[in-house]
Amino acid sequence: MEDIKDKWALVTGASRGIGLRVARALGDKGCRVILHSRKLEGTKHILDELTLKGVKAYSIAAELDSIEQVELLIKEVGNLTNDNLDILYNNAAIMTPYRETFEPTFEDYLSSFLVNSIVPAKLCDAFIPGMLQRDWGRIVNVTSGIENEPQLMAYSCSKAAIDRYVRDMVPTLKGTNVLLNLMDPGWLRTDLGGESAPNSPDSVLPGALVPVLLNKVEGSGKLYQAQNYS
Ligand SMILES: NC(=O)c1ccc[n+]([C@@H]2O[C@H](COP(=O)([O-])OP(=O)(O)OC[C@H]3O[C@@H](n4cnc5c(N)ncnc54)[C@H](OP(=O)(O)O)[C@@H]3O)[C@@H](O)[C@H]2O)c1
């Protein structure tokens, strides 16, 4: 298991749900944690909690459906870390409305692909080259086990796209100590998962951290299912 003390980690969507648990767990491991959500107020509670524990934590706000704000986020992370981001936890996502089969709208596809696939891909594009130069990085893209729900087709297709990004990047990362993997949290009672989900949000740990703590030999391109570790 890798020692990640003092590593710089960015967690998107750290204000609540799964991202909040992941940010807290990375702080407990001694990382310097950059907390992202739409508004600075969203992460204030976890920023205060981590700072009180002696963790070096920072908040950045960005709407991930705005290309301009994503570009600013990338710049801010670069400035804060002196271009040394070590861990990218691509967690933030939106769920599309539940609609009749064949009824998802253009807007459902556009918004979910932008936030759930294009932005995580661009964050990978922005930070993986620096990780490769330093030969250390851990990137986790949060996916979903959703299947056979055509009513949520736009959401599930957007997750499939990010799965494909991971798969097709494997040859580029082969033999390096930059590991890019997928994490499926299971169905959890978060704002996105809804009240009917069988699992508590806390059940995402310790599994959600497994792809961050991997040794180099474990490689890239695998799917880690958090519920297998709870
Ligand atoms: N919960 C489940 O059952 C489940 C199952 C499979 C996969 N997942 C995946 O797990 C990840 C986290 O889900 P969750 O259940 O923890 O969701 P959540 O509780 O709804 O939290 C979503 C997080 O993403 C941020 N976010 C959403 N849209 C954003 C946008 N347009 N711009 C910036 N930030 C945005 C939110 O920030 P604000 O607070 O600022 O809005 C929040 O921090 C997602 O990738 C999701 O697809 C969840």
Side-chain angles (χ1 to χ4, degrees):
M1 195 187 288
E2 287 284 300
D3 180 8
I4 56 171
K5 192 170 177 320
D6 292 330
K7 298 285 188 197
W8 278 106
L10 167 65
V11 182
T12 64
S15 54
R16 50 198 166 94
I18 292 158
L20 171 65
R21 271 80 183 173
V22 168
R24 190 178 280 138
L26 290 171
D28 288 344
K29 293 273 179 204
C31 288
R32 292 177 278 188
V33 189
I34 304 172
L35 308 156
H36 157 269
S37 74
R38 272 179 252 240
K39 299 220 154 61
L40 291 179
E41 305 91 77
T43 49
K44 188 178 181 311
H45 64 110
I46 178 72
L47 179 72
D48 290 348
E49 180 191 317
L50 292 180
T51 307
L52 204 65
K53 282 199 269 189
V55 175
K56 293 194 178 82
Y58 309 83
S59 283
I60 294 184
E63 268 290 352
L64 299 185
D65 59 10
S66 154
I67 293 171
E68 203 181 20
Q69 291 194 28
V70 173
E71 285 173 343
L72 278 174
L73 167 71
I74 292 168
K75 269 204 193 117
E76 276 187 74
V77 172
N79 290 341
L80 202 52
T81 64
N82 203 14
D83 290 327
N84 277 306
L85 188 73
D86 301 297
I87 297 165
L88 168 61
Y89 214 105
N90 259 325
N91 163 77
I94 52 167
M95 172 56 84
T96 49
Y98 195 88
R99 303 194 193 273
E100 292 302 316
T101 303
F102 305 122
E103 295 296 328
T105 63
F106 275 98
E107 173 52 27
D108 293 340
Y109 281 101
L110 287 168
S111 60
S112 59
F113 268 77
L114 180 54
V115 175
N116 301 355
S117 359
I118 296 172
V119 168
K122 288 310 296 169
L123 293 179
C124 288
D125 288 344
F127 296 116
I128 291 177
M131 294 175 182
L132 283 170
Q133 266 177 12
R134 300 187 300 280
D135 198 31
W136 202 96
R138 298 290 179 271
I139 310 104
V140 182
N141 286 348
V142 179
T143 187
S144 169
I146 191 169
E147 58 181 4
N148 300 328
E149 290 209 58
Q151 301 84 353
L152 296 173
M153 190 64 95
Y155 171 79
S156 61
C157 287
S158 71
K159 287 295 183 182
I162 202 65
D163 295 356
R164 185 63 186 253
Y165 182 100
V166 171
R167 196 185 91 182
D168 286 6
M169 198 54 82
V170 171
T172 305
L173 303 179
K174 198 171 160 47
T176 75
N177 201 2
V178 178
L179 309 186
L180 167 64
N181 287 291
L182 293 162
M183 192 282 287
D184 169 15
W187 188 16
L188 313 180
R189 286 185 297 279
T190 61
D191 294 337
L192 185 149
E195 287 172 4
S196 316
N199 302 300
S200 100
D202 289 335
S203 69
V204 79
L205 293 172
L209 236 51
V210 170
V212 175
L213 299 172
L214 297 173
N215 293 321
K216 177 178 176 178
V217 288
E218 308 284 350
S220 295
K222 294 186 192 139
L223 170 65
Y224 292 86
Q225 289 175 300
Q227 295 304 314
N228 288 347
Y229 303 85
S230 69

